[in-house]
Amino acid sequence: KHLTASYQGTAQTAPAPGLNGTFDLPLPSVGALFAWLNQPLAADPGPLTLHLETVSDGGKLTLRNAALTGKAIKLTAQASVDATKTPPSFEAKIDIPQADLDAYMPPAKPAPTAAPAAPAPSAPAPATAGWSTVPYDFRVLGGANGHLAISAAKLRYHGQDITDTALDLTLGKRVLRLTKGDLHVAGGSIAGSFTLDASAAAAKCQAQADILGLQLRPALTAFAGSDRLAGRLAATADLTATGATQQQMIASLAGAGTLRITDGAIYGFDLAKSLHQIGSLRLANAPTDKTDFTPLAGTYTIKAGVLANNDLQLLSPAATVSGSGTVSLPPRSLDYTLQTRLAPGQGVAAALAAVAIPVQVTGPWSRPNVQADWSAALNQIKLPGDLGKVAPDINKVLPGIKLPKGLFR
């Protein structure tokens, strides 16, 4: 016996169905219930109790003193629904002083190890690769009008504390608005707003976000399952889209934004090692490899689903990298150029340190083609002497490079 429920009060059927009374659902052991469901928890968070008080007045229902209480969670709520209106209206408020969601989640199962698939030959991506053409169904947004406010002092999810969360949502005439969205997580803050207007066949979306001081590695580990990128993120985005399907939304995406990561690192990738192997375009990817950088910064614009950037900058001890190009979202393809300049020292001669190595990244996201333009790079070396003076430096830094005949004249 894992669940017992009790209700004390009356029920009405006219003029509208309703309840007047108190409902209680005590759960002696959350851990025992999950074990019975074959989803055992790492530890039993103990008992959990749900308490509700309802008051009905004709077609109006009021929920008072609602509470969900346990060792790892405390939540209170107030709500009212007026079914005499067309469509019905609601008003609700939820306060969460604390909620350790990790305590109520089964441990993550390790992902099965799969053999790497053989690379398939690259092919041009279709104009709308992978995006759904199934029409959105937003009819549910026409089912009610109302307001919901949520505040959470402290949430814990995948080891991360999310504090001072405040969300304010309104729904009216098939328009959903998040007019206030604020939270603090991973040492930073996220603020934003969102509007989904489904009053017409082609829905309209508008989103705005400001991120300040977010520590990327703990945030990505908790919410994306990746620990490859570290640093402190500051970013902005202001985006709009219109469409009746995902494909149409992506094709209409427009807006602008900024990105800056300071005190950053890329784990599992060594830029210096990769540059020394770039003669054969082999990228170092040992788990212990690491590339430090500060900063990585750039701005972007988006028009008709095509993101354009012309000021990407990355500074690391191994090299400086600048970039420009486009990312086409509808076909999921890239057309981007990176200009890499080796840092002097570590066997890099001054003449080579001044050389920009253009690297073209093109093709589909899943299998991009990476090609270094060596003629353009080596033509930048202007030496009056013979080739023998610079060839040892080039072969030491970029092993495997065959210098074109007549390159230096």
Side-chain angles (χ1 to χ4, degrees):
K1 184 178 180 180
H2 299 289
L3 289 171
T4 60
S6 65
Y7 175 73
Q8 293 181 341
T10 61
Q12 68 179 42
T13 57
L19 297 173
N20 288 280
T22 301
F23 176 83
D24 287 289
L25 178 63
L27 181 61
S29 170
V30 174
L33 176 62
F34 272 74
W36 180 68
L37 296 172
N38 293 321
Q39 295 289 328
L41 302 177
D44 186 3
L48 188 67
T49 300
L50 174 64
H51 173 81
L52 303 174
E53 296 177 11
T54 59
V55 177
S56 297
D57 180 13
K60 300 178 181 179
L61 175 66
T62 301
L63 182 68
R64 302 187 307 192
N65 301 323
L68 183 65
T69 307
K71 289 183 178 179
I73 188 170
K74 296 187 185 330
L75 179 152
T76 62
Q78 312 286 337
S80 63
V81 178
D82 188 350
T84 65
K85 297 180 179 179
T86 304
S89 65
F90 67 89
E91 183 76 26
K93 181 180 180 181
I94 301 174
D95 292 310
I96 308 172
Q98 74 169 74
D100 184 354
L101 303 180
D102 290 347
Y104 300 99
M105 297 173 60
K109 296 180 180 179
T113 302
S122 297
T128 53
W131 305 110
S132 173
T133 58
V134 177
Y136 291 122
D137 186 355
F138 292 124
R139 288 177 294 179
V140 65
L141 297 182
N145 297 325
H147 171 247
L148 169 63
I150 302 174
S151 63
K154 184 177 180 179
L155 304 174
R156 189 164 183 81
Y157 179 74
H158 283 192
Q160 283 297 307
D161 289 330
I162 306 169
T163 61
D164 303 324
T165 300
L167 303 175
D168 200 274
L169 298 102
T170 60
L171 175 61
K173 298 181 179 179
R174 298 172 66 95
V175 180
L176 176 66
R177 290 186 175 90
L178 173 64
T179 55
K180 179 182 181 181
D182 298 296
L183 61 87
H184 292 77
V185 64
S189 63
I190 302 175
S193 63
F194 176 79
T195 299
L196 172 59
D197 184 348
S199 59
K204 298 178 181 179
C205 290
Q206 189 277 331
Q208 182 273 330
D210 289 282
I211 303 174
L212 183 63
L214 184 73
Q215 289 285 2
L216 278 171
R217 199 178 196 199
L220 291 174
T221 300
F223 304 111
S226 172
D227 62 355
R228 298 288 298 273
L229 183 62
R232 190 171 289 274
L233 171 67
T236 64
D238 193 348
L239 307 173
T240 62
T242 303
T245 67
Q246 183 187 56
Q247 182 188 96
Q248 292 174 5
M249 284 279 189
I250 293 297
S252 69
L253 189 64
T258 63
L259 172 75
R260 184 176 180 85
I261 303 173
T262 55
D263 300 323
I266 303 172
Y267 290 84
F269 174 74
D270 188 330
L271 179 59
K273 187 188 298 184
S274 294
L275 289 172
H276 283 69
Q277 296 175 346
I278 204 167
S280 57
L281 288 181
R282 291 177 295 154
L283 299 182
N285 59 358
T288 56
D289 286 340
K290 178 185 175 186
T291 297
D292 295 314
F293 65 85
T294 189
L296 167 62
T299 63
Y300 63 87
T301 59
I302 304 177
K303 184 177 181 181
V306 179
L307 183 150
N309 158 264
N310 59 13
D311 60 357
L312 180 71
Q313 293 290 333
L314 181 148
L315 178 61
S316 82
T320 60
V321 180
S322 61
S324 62
T326 61
V327 179
S328 298
L329 302 180
R332 304 190 186 206
S333 64
L334 296 160
D335 186 0
Y336 206 81
T337 301
L338 297 169
Q339 300 281 351
T340 302
R341 287 178 170 83
L342 301 170
Q346 300 180 0
V348 180
L352 290 178
V355 173
I357 305 172
V359 179
Q360 301 287 338
V361 185
T362 59
W365 299 354
S366 57
R367 298 184 304 277
N369 178 47
V370 182
Q371 182 67 47
D373 187 345
W374 297 116
S375 294
L378 298 178
N379 269 319
Q380 299 170 53
I381 302 176
K382 299 179 180 179
L383 294 177
D386 60 13
L387 182 59
K389 293 181 180 180
V390 69
D393 287 321
I394 295 176
N395 289 326
K396 184 192 304 182
V397 178
L398 306 174
I401 294 298
K402 295 182 179 180
L403 301 176
K405 293 182 179 180
L407 179 62
F408 299 96
R409 296 175 179 176

